[in-house]
Amino acid sequence: MTLIETERLVLRPYTYDDAERVLDIHSRLEVIRWLSDPPFVPMADLDEARAWIDNWGEGDVGPTNCGLAIEVRRTGVVAGTVMITKVPNAEHDERQAGWHLHPDSVGHGYATEAAAPLIDEAFAAGLDEIWCGMYPDNHASAAVAKRLGLIDRGIVPDPWYDGDSHLFSATAEEWANR
Ligand SMILES: CC(C)(COP(=O)(O)OP(=O)(O)OC[C@H]1O[C@@H](n2cnc3c(N)ncnc32)[C@H](O)[C@@H]1OP(=O)(O)O)[C@@H](O)C(=O)NCCC(=O)NCCS
């Protein structure tokens, strides 16, 4: 897929040159503890980082299925990742947006600035609805979803993951009118 550029960021596919940064981000429990169901297993080495990068190149990559490096234009530093992926175990091919940043890149608005144009592109590519779920106490991520204008569906039993989640979503129409 083509690059997405914003005022401060370039969203681009990962390459092996990013492996050390990927390892730095994913070896941190403070980051990965929010990203999936337990057990949370920190990334161990550069081989794992390269395998993680390879993963994003597999399958039908495009705006509704991708994980992109959020590169800060001014510094060239990769702040983190923004993604749209299939919801695991989804019955109707639902898609979810996600984001995570290196702790050194939190607090600048990068996650929100990155996710908005990617969701724009996903809807432009024909997506009907975007979902976003998080642990109920992930207030930083809920704030991103709210800043984006996704609709707060509350803390509910998660249809796809274990336990309760704080769910947000928007249809194409809701996104356009937010
Ligand atoms: C969730 C996460 C991405 C949020 O990061 P974030 O930096 O707080 O979110 P944004 O990038 O939207 O930045 C917003 C913050 O930047 C601040 N900011 C500073 N300069 C800014 C600017 N020029 N423009 C916009 N916001 C700016 C905002 O005020 C806000 O800070 P506040 O929350 O203290 O008010 C981050 O905490 C993270 O990676 N957590 C671990 C992984 C995770 O939980 N991922 C989500 C799983 S569901």
Side-chain angles (χ1 to χ4, degrees), residues 91-175:
E91 270 182 47
H92 305 292
D93 200 28
E94 287 93 343
R95 302 289 157 144
Q96 60 186 356
W99 38 74
H100 57 274
L101 301 177
H102 190 290
D104 69 13
S105 298
V106 166
H108 300 279
Y110 295 150
T112 305
E113 185 170 326
L118 180 56
I119 296 172
D120 278 341
E121 288 224 357
F123 281 126
L127 189 69
D128 293 329
E129 188 166 27
I130 192 79
W131 288 88
C132 181
M134 60 207 61
Y135 283 107
D137 58 342
N138 194 343
H139 306 299
S141 190
V144 175
K146 284 177 191 159
R147 275 191 291 273
L148 285 167
L150 296 175
I151 294 169
D152 190 340
R153 310 291 179 190
I155 295 172
V156 295
D158 195 297
W160 307 297
Y161 290 87
D162 288 341
D164 285 352
S165 289
H166 195 169
L167 283 189
F168 293 81
S169 69
T171 61
E173 193 181 351
E174 287 167 337
W175 180 255

Side-chain angles (χ1 to χ4, degrees), residues 19-92:
E20 286 205 16
R21 185 67 168 170
V22 165
L23 176 59
D24 188 359
I25 294 171
H26 294 88
S27 56
R28 293 168 184 269
L29 204 53
E30 69 199 286
V31 177
I32 63 167
R33 63 144 295 198
W34 301 106
L35 302 185
S36 60
D37 287 327
F40 308 117
V41 182
M43 199 176 266
D45 55 32
L46 287 171
D47 281 345
E48 277 189 39
R50 285 186 282 264
W52 184 91
I53 290 167
D54 284 341
N55 239 358
W56 290 116
E58 286 170 8
D60 195 9
V61 178
T64 62
N65 184 39
C66 61
L68 299 174
I70 304 171
E71 185 177 308
V72 180
R73 290 153 74 115
R74 191 175 57 79
T75 59
V77 169
V78 171
T81 303
V82 63
M83 66 190 80
I84 293 185
T85 54
K86 288 185 178 187
V87 176
N89 313 315
E91 270 182 47
H92 305 292

